[in-house]
Amino acid sequence: MSVSAVAADRSVCAPLPVLGRDVLVPLVTGGEVDYAALDYAASTPALQRVWDDVAAYAPYYGSVHRGAGYLSQLSTDLFENSRRTIAAFLGCRADDQLVFTRSTTDSLNLLAAVLPRNTRVFVFETEHHASLLPWEQRADLTVSYLNAPRTPEQAVATLEHALADREPYGPALVCVTGASNVTGELWPVRELAAAAHAHGARIVLDAAQLAPHHPVDLAELDVDWVAFSGHKLYAPFGAGVLAGRADWLQDADPYLAGGGASRKVSRRADGGVDVEWHTTAARHEAGSPNVIGAYAIASACKALTEAGFDTLVAREQELIARVRAGLAEVPEVRVLSLFGDDAPRVGVLSFVVEGWNSSHFAAALSAEYGIGVRDGLFCAHPLVRTLLGSDPQDPGECGAPDAAPGERSLNAIRVSFGAGTPDEHVDRFLRAVKELVSDGARWNYRTEDGRCVPA
């Protein structure tokens, strides 16, 4: 059997086939190996189902909401049906709106743009930068950053205390992640939503890491909005979603001004223009929409639903347990955790290795074993710095990231996986960790453009 055939055979262990499962990459030590993609938290590979659906539609691609021709009408139907499919996947309520965006970051910046004046925003310092930073872009919003909690109960208590003490009493928004992109730990979303609503605040859920691994239901969780990205949901075609309550979306000026967002534009006698904007989701979807991106997300939603989240979650929990048990056998490895070892989580784990700079370790995993992981601070700098604390970070042979003046260089390694991960990739990763810790790297490495690379 050829190497590629072996790779394809191994991949059948994964519940959902993904692109790239038979891609061969070279090793610095010689030979090739099928690439082990263990960086799902950054971008998941495309589902084969998604790719096939997009390829089947591509010849029929046309303008959306713009033409009377057959392809335009077909594309418009596909686009709006995709909206309904995703809304059902998210458990949207009858009066919710679903707006297509470019990503989670774009979705949360959109929400920040439509908040009423003088809204008070409460966000934990543990958030990804996509949900930590957008609120500062408006001078008329007040942002309260909450310290990292060490238990789910403390998270709820911290939020309740902050909301109760807010002055003046006015519009308020809580922003919280569903699953950490650093530790994979699940946050008490339903309890945080209850606390927010009890104090007259609204809540938005960053589901970028939650939606690919776990059911997300707006009505059940009782959140006001949810945001996520297609490229983290096995649909890497440049689209994202903001779904939830319509009132603030309808009351605000369009996120972008242009065609599609406007219903009527007319000249005034003084030479200016009057604009009547849409009150539907189109109000914030100016320009030609990304119909392929929207359709790709809808296809992924269908595939995950048909596979059954119960089955997917159960299998992923087995992989998590295997990874945690394997790393626990290596005393030099410390897995990062906010809520403790027993906290429920999705398939995302970050760790540090004593005596290794994390960039060096990640480079060796790639160059010597064909394993792709992530190293750094994962666009969640305050959280990772809190978790690393004063742990010693040996720069190793290369790859120590630049640190601010007076600050040590800190970084960690993240391994993440999902419905397309075969068992062999996890097994190879654990074997590689143990060999690198016990025997060291088999190659020399150097720093190039801030990255650790084989010399």
Side-chain angles (χ1 to χ4, degrees):
M1 184 181 292
S2 67
V3 175
S4 59
V6 171
D9 183 63
R10 285 170 174 168
S11 70
V12 300
C13 297
L16 292 174
V18 295
L19 295 183
R21 59 190 181 273
D22 54 356
V23 169
L24 297 178
V25 295
L27 303 180
V28 292
T29 52
E32 296 178 321
V33 67
D34 57 299
Y35 182 65
L38 296 178
D39 192 17
Y40 275 46
S43 285
T44 55
L47 286 178
Q48 185 68 55
R49 156 78 173 271
V50 170
W51 186 262
D52 291 345
D53 283 349
V54 167
Y57 161 66
Y60 301 92
Y61 172 77
S63 61
V64 175
H65 302 149
R66 297 293 192 275
Y70 178 79
L71 296 191
S72 178
Q73 293 295 305
L74 186 149
S75 295
T76 298
D77 286 345
L78 191 78
F79 185 68
E80 294 303 334
N81 283 332
S82 296
R83 194 190 308 273
R84 287 186 281 272
T85 295
I86 300 166
F89 178 80
L90 295 172
C92 288
R93 298 148 298 216
D95 55 351
D96 283 337
Q97 281 190 355
L98 190 148
V99 181
F100 285 115
T101 66
R102 294 176 298 171
S103 60
T104 308
T105 302
D106 195 32
S107 296
L108 293 171
N109 274 272
L110 163 58
L111 185 59
V114 306
L115 295 182
R117 289 179 58 84
N118 301 316
T119 295
R120 183 81 171 266
V121 181
F122 296 85
V123 54
F124 286 94
E125 66 172 348
T126 48
E127 292 292 307
H128 186 281
H129 293 172
S131 48
L132 187 74
L133 302 181
W135 327 107
E136 293 278 8
Q137 303 308 302
R138 280 182 53 183
D140 61 337
L141 303 181
T142 302
V143 187
S144 295
Y145 295 104
L146 308 180
N147 292 335
R150 286 300 184 167
T151 66
E153 295 76 16
Q154 189 181 55
V156 176
T158 297
L159 178 61
E160 287 181 331
H161 180 75
L163 289 170
D165 286 351
R166 81 180 191 269
E167 290 183 5
Y169 190 88
L173 177 73
V174 176
C175 182
V176 66
T177 190
S180 170
N181 78 304
V182 176
T183 68
E185 292 166 313
L186 296 174
W187 276 63
V189 176
R190 189 180 292 104
E191 292 80 1
L192 291 167
H197 294 152
H199 291 278
R202 300 188 183 189
I203 185 168
V204 57
L205 170 65
D206 176 353
Q209 296 299 335
L210 183 64
H213 303 274
H214 198 279
V216 175
D217 190 304
L218 273 81
E220 181 183 348
L221 294 172
D222 197 24
V223 295
D224 298 281
W225 293 277
V226 62
F228 73 93
S229 297
H231 76 97
K232 296 187 189 295
L233 195 81
Y234 306 98
F237 291 92
V241 167
L242 176 69
R245 295 181 62 159
D247 53 351
W248 286 0
L249 292 167
Q250 292 174 344
D251 293 343
D253 290 336
Y255 184 45
L256 297 173
S262 56
R263 292 183 60 188
K264 180 181 178 181
V265 180
S266 57
R267 290 292 301 272
R268 296 195 305 264
D270 64 4
V273 296
D274 287 322
V275 184
E276 180 182 340
W277 302 106
H278 280 294
T279 57
T280 63
R283 185 182 189 89
H284 299 291
E285 293 178 344
S288 296
N290 181 0
V291 58
I292 287 180
Y295 182 45
I297 294 177
S299 173
C301 290
K302 289 180 181 178
L304 291 168
T305 300
E306 291 167 5
F309 262 115
D310 288 345
T311 299
L312 297 177
V313 170
R315 196 261 178 169
E316 185 174 298
Q317 291 304 309
E318 293 177 358
L319 292 184
I320 294 170
R322 187 184 307 179
V323 171
R324 288 184 61 81
L327 293 179
E329 295 175 359
V330 186
E332 293 83 357
V333 170
R334 181 172 79 88
V335 175
L336 305 182
S337 176
L338 195 63
F339 297 152
D341 291 343
D342 296 331
R345 67 187 69 224
V346 299
V348 179
L349 295 96
S350 296
F351 62 97
V352 291
V353 183
E354 182 180 347
W356 285 80
N357 176 270
S358 295
S359 295
H360 185 195
F361 200 88
L365 286 173
S366 174
E368 300 178 28
Y369 295 91
I371 298 170
V373 297
R374 181 60 60 101
D375 65 275
L377 299 176
F378 319 125
C379 291
H381 295 187
L383 172 56
V384 179
R385 289 192 173 106
T386 294
L387 294 173
L388 291 177
S390 59
D391 273 10
Q393 294 287 293
D394 187 341
E397 297 176 28
C398 75
D402 292 335
E407 190 175 80
R408 290 181 307 104
S409 173
L410 297 176
N411 61 337
I413 306 153
R414 184 181 68 193
V415 57
S416 52
F417 40 86
T421 304
D423 293 0
E424 189 275 332
H425 290 182
V426 170
D427 295 339
R428 193 196 316 170
F429 165 74
L430 292 174
R431 174 172 58 84
V433 170
K434 293 173 182 177
E435 289 181 0
L436 286 172
V437 171
S438 63
D439 303 333
R442 291 172 287 173
W443 205 260
N444 293 322
Y445 296 81
R446 59 185 173 84
T447 300
E448 182 177 290
D449 297 328
R451 296 294 308 167
C452 190
V453 297

